[in-house]
Amino acid sequence: MIKALMIEDDKELAELLTEYLSKFNISVKNFEIPSKAIKELERNPNYDLIILDLSLPEMDGIEVCKKLEKERDIPIIISSARSDDTDKILALEIGADDYLAKPYNPRELVARIQAVLRRKEKTKSKVIACGEFELDEEGYTIKKNGEVLNLTSAEFEILSMLIKNRGRVLSRDYILDNTININYDSIDRTVDVIIGRIRKKINDDPKNPKYIQSIRGIGYKFDCKEE
């Protein structure tokens, strides 16, 4: 279920949209007063997006958009009768993700909501949490207990592979075949050497490993030690 917070002072329109969007698995909670909507977000930040009118009591929608964009990472779709290009350009410049000029077909709003959420999903950083570790593939970093590990390219590649395949035994051949920072003609011993360096950097005792388990005659398995 998609959760949308709407700020719309036209009660009739708000009820119409709420009923229509529910047919597409979109739950809407509407507020006519911007300050009440902002307080709701402070109490409950787990909304997927905001549908925002511009002509509102108490505070102009442009100011609301500016405030929300500055304080929260949440998509904003403007739904407004103000169709002037100046308003549209300004709203998009200060952080709105889309702009629909009233009147519009409610089905178009559904399509815009789905498109905005798809874009947001694509731009999310690929961060994988694994016990004490956090792998950020786009940022090319691995953290342990919040501290960035100082890894070479080969070390990063192997440790990230182990984290992504946590609980699964990876053979030395598999590791060699799926890395680009180790020479193709490297021998199995190369993997063992790099694993040894990684263990030192993550404080993993090779005699009694907590994270990287050696599977005799096969390869290695990573244990996140998740609580």
Side-chain angles (χ1 to χ4, degrees), residues 6-8 13 17 20-21 26 49-55 76-85 87-89 91-92 96-116 119:
M6 184 158 60
I7 309 176
E8 170 63 69
L13 176 61
L17 290 176
Y20 186 84
L21 293 176
I26 302 169
L49 79 152
I50 294 169
I51 302 167
L52 174 65
D53 187 16
L54 292 186
S55 299
I76 299 172
I77 296 177
I78 302 295
S79 163
S80 177
R82 282 156 53 176
S83 56
D84 185 88
D85 283 347
D87 283 322
K88 184 174 182 178
I89 292 167
L92 294 171
D97 295 85
D98 207 340
Y99 194 110
L100 267 172
K102 298 174 183 174
Y104 53 79
N105 186 326
R107 187 64 184 85
E108 184 177 359
L109 177 59
V110 173
R112 299 289 186 103
I113 288 171
Q114 292 169 340
V116 162
R119 289 200 300 270

Side-chain angles (χ1 to χ4, degrees), residues 20-187:
Y20 186 84
L21 293 176
S22 68
K23 298 175 185 177
F24 296 86
N25 208 32
I26 302 169
S27 169
V28 177
K29 188 168 186 178
N30 184 59
F31 292 86
E32 297 173 38
I33 308 297
S35 60
K36 291 184 177 180
I38 292 168
K39 284 180 182 177
E40 166 66 10
L41 280 170
E42 290 171 353
R43 288 191 301 267
N44 179 13
N46 299 317
Y47 284 93
D48 297 300
L49 79 152
I50 294 169
I51 302 167
L52 174 65
D53 187 16
L54 292 186
S55 299
L56 295 166
E58 202 182 70
M59 186 188 303
D60 186 78
I62 292 291
E63 292 305 312
V64 177
C65 182
K66 194 180 296 184
K67 181 177 178 62
L68 293 173
E69 195 281 330
K70 182 179 179 181
E71 297 178 359
R72 304 188 180 280
D73 180 22
I74 183 169
I76 299 172
I77 296 177
I78 302 295
S79 163
S80 177
R82 282 156 53 176
S83 56
D84 185 88
D85 283 347
T86 303
D87 283 322
K88 184 174 182 178
I89 292 167
L90 181 56
L92 294 171
E93 283 180 342
I94 63 175
D97 295 85
D98 207 340
Y99 194 110
L100 267 172
K102 298 174 183 174
Y104 53 79
N105 186 326
R107 187 64 184 85
E108 184 177 359
L109 177 59
V110 173
R112 299 289 186 103
I113 288 171
Q114 292 169 340
V116 162
L117 293 179
R118 279 198 303 270
R119 289 200 300 270
K120 182 175 175 61
E121 189 63 32
K122 285 180 182 178
T123 57
K124 276 184 180 176
S125 180
K126 295 180 181 178
V127 176
I128 298 171
C130 180
E132 299 168 39
F133 296 86
E134 187 178 274
L135 165 64
D136 182 346
E137 292 188 277
E138 292 185 0
Y140 208 74
T141 59
I142 298 175
K143 295 179 182 178
K144 182 186 176 189
N145 294 323
E147 296 290 326
V148 176
L149 297 169
N150 183 19
L151 303 170
T152 66
S153 296
E155 291 164 0
F156 174 84
E157 202 169 12
I158 290 179
L159 183 54
S160 62
M161 185 187 299
L162 288 168
I163 289 173
K164 287 189 288 185
N165 290 278
R166 53 195 177 276
R168 176 185 167 196
V169 179
L170 302 183
S171 70
R172 292 174 177 81
D173 285 342
Y174 178 90
I175 293 171
L176 283 172
D177 289 343
N178 290 277
T179 51
I180 61 174
N181 288 297
I182 303 175
N183 292 333
Y184 180 77
D185 57 356
S186 294
I187 57 175

